[in-house]
Amino acid sequence: MSETATHILEERIQAIVERVKTLAAERDALRAEIDLMRSRVDQAESTVRENARLRTVLEEAVRELREE
């Protein structure tokens, strides 16, 4: 293989390696964003469950007061 062809091949390989690194960094950033979103969803679901529990307790207290 000529020196020019080898140089062109090396440049293409280097460009591919850089693209792979860029894609890996983007993937990692997206995974971090997904983890953050999952955490927020879990927190929101926990809040919804707690609110439902508190509503039930409050409704039970109101019912008891009405019975008195």
Side-chain angles (χ1 to χ4, degrees):
M1 192 180 299
S2 72
E3 189 174 316
T4 303
T6 302
H7 182 68
I8 291 171
L9 185 57
E10 287 174 350
E11 287 177 346
R12 288 183 180 171
I13 291 170
Q14 185 60 35
I16 290 169
V17 168
E18 291 303 316
R19 181 66 179 140
V20 168
K21 288 179 181 178
T22 299
L23 290 172
E26 290 174 9
R27 178 204 59 212
D28 293 345
L30 288 171
R31 284 183 176 168
E33 187 176 348
I34 288 168
D35 289 343
L36 177 62
M37 288 180 182
R38 282 184 178 152
S39 174
R40 288 179 180 171
V41 167
D42 290 344
Q43 186 177 23
E45 288 175 344
S46 177
T47 300
V48 167
R49 284 190 300 272
E50 180 65 10
N51 286 346
R53 185 189 72 76
L54 292 172
R55 181 175 291 127
T56 300
V57 169
L58 183 58
E59 288 171 351
E60 185 177 318
V62 168
R63 197 171 22 252
E64 286 178 11
L65 287 173
R66 286 182 180 161
E67 289 176 356
E68 290 181 359

